[in-house]
Amino acid sequence: MKIGVYAAHDDDALVAVGGLLSRYSKEGNKIFYLIFTDGRASHKAVLNINKNPTEEVVKKTPKIEIKNALSFLDINSLYFLDFYDRKLEKNEKNAEDKCREITMKEKPDIIFFQFPDAHPDHRAANKIMKKIIN
């Protein structure tokens, strides 16, 4: 089977279904992972840090961290859509188009996607995926 994982932020899906992805990987299933946002505003929003590190420095970190975190899985493809963190709603149509294109290319049998909690990026990612799978 092919498993598609769609997360608003780099860590969202690992926190939610990391154990299940590990099992799917060990069973020989193919997995691809898509991340909607670039994470650049995480320090500012969560820790109120505006500089040192700058947003540009912060946005590089999730790519490195998620590659390391996913190294235990057999990830066939890793997609970074790089939409501005905390502003996915403002880019919803563009994100939907890119996400739909990747989904059509990958043709997943099982899809895991974001729960629409209070975070605006989580709600936008959920809304995008509901449009794609319906």
Side-chain angles (χ1 to χ4, degrees), residues 22-130:
S22 178
R23 187 179 95 197
Y24 279 132
S25 179
K26 288 176 184 172
E27 292 172 353
N29 296 291
K30 306 286 185 196
I31 302 170
F32 70 92
Y33 201 99
L34 179 144
I35 303 165
F36 284 96
T37 65
D38 62 11
R40 76 173 72 193
S42 63
H43 285 55
K44 182 177 182 179
V46 178
L47 304 172
N48 201 26
I49 297 172
N50 294 309
K51 52 187 170 186
N52 196 19
T54 65
E55 285 187 354
E56 287 303 309
V57 170
V58 173
K59 87 175 195 177
K60 293 177 185 175
T61 305
K63 289 181 181 180
I64 296 165
E65 290 176 344
I66 196 65
K67 287 176 184 176
N68 290 335
L70 293 174
S71 65
F72 69 95
L73 299 174
D74 183 20
I75 299 294
N76 300 91
S77 300
L78 181 57
Y79 298 96
F80 296 100
L81 298 188
D82 285 329
F83 287 102
Y84 196 98
D85 191 36
R86 303 189 73 78
K87 297 189 183 209
L88 184 57
E89 289 174 306
K90 293 180 180 182
N91 294 290
E92 204 170 286
K93 179 61 176 137
N94 192 9
E96 180 184 339
D97 291 344
K98 288 181 178 186
C99 192
R100 186 179 305 279
E101 180 182 324
I102 291 166
T103 303
M104 297 299 288
K105 173 185 162 193
E106 293 286 353
K107 298 179 179 22
D109 299 299
I110 296 174
I111 292 175
F112 293 104
F113 63 96
Q114 200 74 48
F115 181 79
D117 60 23
H119 195 294
D121 289 341
H122 295 177
R123 289 192 309 270
N126 177 276
K127 184 177 175 184
I128 290 165
M129 289 310 300
K130 281 183 176 178

